[in-house]
Structure formats: C-alpha cells, structure tokens
Amino acid sequence: GGMIGIAGFFMVYKSVYSIFYPPQLKALDYGIALTLLTGLINYFMARRLIRIGTALSSSGMVADGTHLLTDTWSSLALVAGLFLIHLTGWVLLDTLLTAGLGVLIIWTGFKLIREAWFNLMDKTDPMQMERLLEAINRARIPEWIDLHHCRIQKHGAVLHLDAHVTLPWYINLKEVHRHTADLQQRISQHYTQEIECNIHADPCIPQSCKICSVSNCSYRLHAMEQQVNWTVDNIWPDTKHRIYER
C-alpha cells in the first residue's frame, strides 16, 4: 500500500513537472502498442492474484494484485494520452491524465494501508460484521434471546470471532453446549475460509423477558414487547439488550 501510494505521488509530481518542462514524444505508434500489450498482461495477472488472494484471505496476495492493477490503469491512461496526443498534438492531455491517475493510485494505496492497519490492530471489519449478521439472522431461533459483545478480527488467513449469546437461564449444560455449537456451525457454514469461534453463553435476566420470544417459558416475569433486531451498531457493546421503562 505504501509503495503504491508513493508511486501515485511521483506520478502527480511528474505531471506537474511536465507542465513547465513538456516532454519530447517520439514513435507514438510503437509506444501505444507496447504499452497496451504490457497493460493487458498486467490486468490478467492482477485479476488472478486478487481472486485467489480474496479466496485465501491473503492481504499480501491481494496487495500484489492491486499493485499490478494500478500498473494496468497507468498503462491505459498512458495509451489514452498517447492516442489523443497523436490525434490532436496537445501534449498537455498526457499531463492531465497522469495527474488524475496519480490521485486514484494514491487513494488505492491508502485503502490498502488502512486494511493492513485494521488487521494489525485487530480492528473489527464492518463488512465482516455484516456478513456475520447475515448468517446469524438467517439461523436465529427463539432460544437465542440476545447477542452482544460481538467482535470479529482477521488474523492472517483466519477469522476470529468472539460473541456472547444470551440463553434461557434454566436449561442444563448439555443444552447450552448444543446451542453454542449449533450457532458456531451455522456461522462456519457461511464462510469459505477458516473461522475460529469463541462463543460465551450468558443466562437471561428478568429484563430479558421483554425481548424474549420463547413461547413455552414457565419462568417468564414480563410479557414480550419487542424482539431486538441485531445490527452492526448494537451487537458490539458488552451489555445485554433490554427495553427500558419510559
């Protein structure tokens, strides 16, 4: 990411320099053909690296593919600039295209650095959280009363999940294990990559009755008022959900 960003800065610098010191261009037809060929080769290699890297959750492979992809965009911009210059004779077009592409490459490098920083600092990835919620909401059953303290981090090619699930307080340990194992299995089935799940079971409390949809509970103290809709914003706090008195 850093190298891509530096390359982008140099492209912007070179474009500004070219405004004051226009380059002398020769053999434009050969330059267009050669640049187009190398751009196509870089494109197919980049797409393959990104596809395999994404499937393996390899940030390094994705970064290498992105680097080649930026080379492809550079080649296309160069071809477009050379072709337009060949037609119009306006050398400034190449400078403008180079500057615009340089800004785009800087932004691409920034996104790669940000992703690497998140992985290094064990930051939760919002996109991974949305994918996780999709799996959990699809498999949700009444006994899973609440979900909170949810974290998902990427450690290399492996995802690591920490979550607290609230279950009825009166079920035995065997049932608790069955529910947590079922939740873990449903989550794992939603991912093609390896995911480690650390699911902690919490007993429900009296305040949980108002968000609990278990129909045959003999210990209910309050009528159910509303089931909590689990979202990225409300499953990360380390507190059980509840409906407060107004």
Side-chain angles (χ1 to χ4, degrees):
M3 296 300 294
I4 292 175
I6 291 173
F9 276 113
F10 271 106
M11 290 184 68
V12 174
Y13 167 77
K14 183 63 176 178
S15 64
V16 174
Y17 179 85
S18 298
I19 296 176
F20 300 98
Y21 304 96
Q24 298 296 322
L25 302 179
K26 299 179 181 180
L28 293 182
D29 48 352
Y30 291 109
I32 291 173
L34 184 60
T35 304
L36 187 59
L37 176 63
T38 57
L40 287 174
I41 294 173
N42 282 335
Y43 175 78
F44 288 113
M45 290 182 63
R47 297 307 303 175
R48 180 172 176 81
L49 281 172
I50 292 174
R51 183 173 65 253
I52 296 175
T54 301
L56 298 177
S57 294
S58 173
S59 299
M61 190 173 292
V62 172
D64 287 340
T66 305
H67 196 169
L68 283 177
L69 199 58
T70 58
D71 289 342
T72 301
W73 305 141
S74 300
S75 299
L76 290 178
L78 181 58
V79 168
L82 291 175
F83 184 72
L84 291 173
I85 291 172
H86 184 67
L87 291 178
T88 65
W90 193 29
V91 180
L92 187 60
L93 281 173
D94 181 64
T95 299
L96 296 176
L97 285 172
T98 302
L101 185 61
V103 173
L104 177 62
I105 290 176
I106 291 171
W107 174 246
T108 301
F110 169 75
K111 289 192 294 184
L112 286 174
I113 293 173
R114 182 179 60 182
E115 180 182 354
W117 176 259
F118 280 0
N119 293 337
L120 182 64
M121 300 304 293
D122 287 342
K123 293 286 186 180
T124 293
D125 187 345
M127 294 183 63
Q128 291 289 357
M129 289 288 285
E130 291 177 0
R131 187 178 179 185
L132 172 69
L133 277 173
E134 180 183 350
I136 295 176
N137 283 321
R138 183 179 301 174
R140 185 173 183 175
I141 60 176
E143 285 76 15
W144 301 348
I145 301 171
D146 193 23
L147 186 72
H148 61 281
H149 195 63
C150 193
R151 305 285 191 277
I152 185 167
Q153 290 99 21
K154 184 178 179 184
H155 297 164
V158 180
L159 292 174
H160 182 82
L161 167 69
D162 285 301
H164 289 206
V165 60
T166 301
L167 300 172
W169 65 264
Y170 50 83
I171 62 177
N172 58 42
L173 187 58
K174 184 177 180 179
E175 286 292 299
V176 171
H177 176 73
R178 182 178 67 81
H179 281 296
T180 56
D182 184 44
L183 178 56
Q184 179 176 340
Q185 182 182 16
R186 298 297 184 91
I187 293 172
S188 299
Q189 289 175 347
H190 199 68
Y191 287 86
T192 56
Q193 65 195 94
E194 182 181 355
I195 179 169
E196 298 175 346
C197 297
N198 180 24
I199 299 176
H200 174 80
D202 286 339
C204 65
I205 57 178
Q207 290 83 355
S208 302
C209 291
K210 295 182 179 181
I211 62 171
C212 175
S213 60
V214 175
S215 59
N216 58 348
C217 178
S218 303
Y219 302 93
R220 181 178 292 278
L221 298 178
H222 306 282
M224 177 187 173
E225 296 185 11
Q226 179 183 346
Q227 187 181 60
V228 175
N229 181 31
W230 296 333
T231 67
V232 174
D233 295 326
N234 68 16
I235 64 171
W236 64 265
D238 188 18
T239 55
K240 291 183 173 68
H241 295 108
R242 63 183 67 186
I243 297 177
Y244 295 94
E245 298 291 343
R246 295 181 180 179

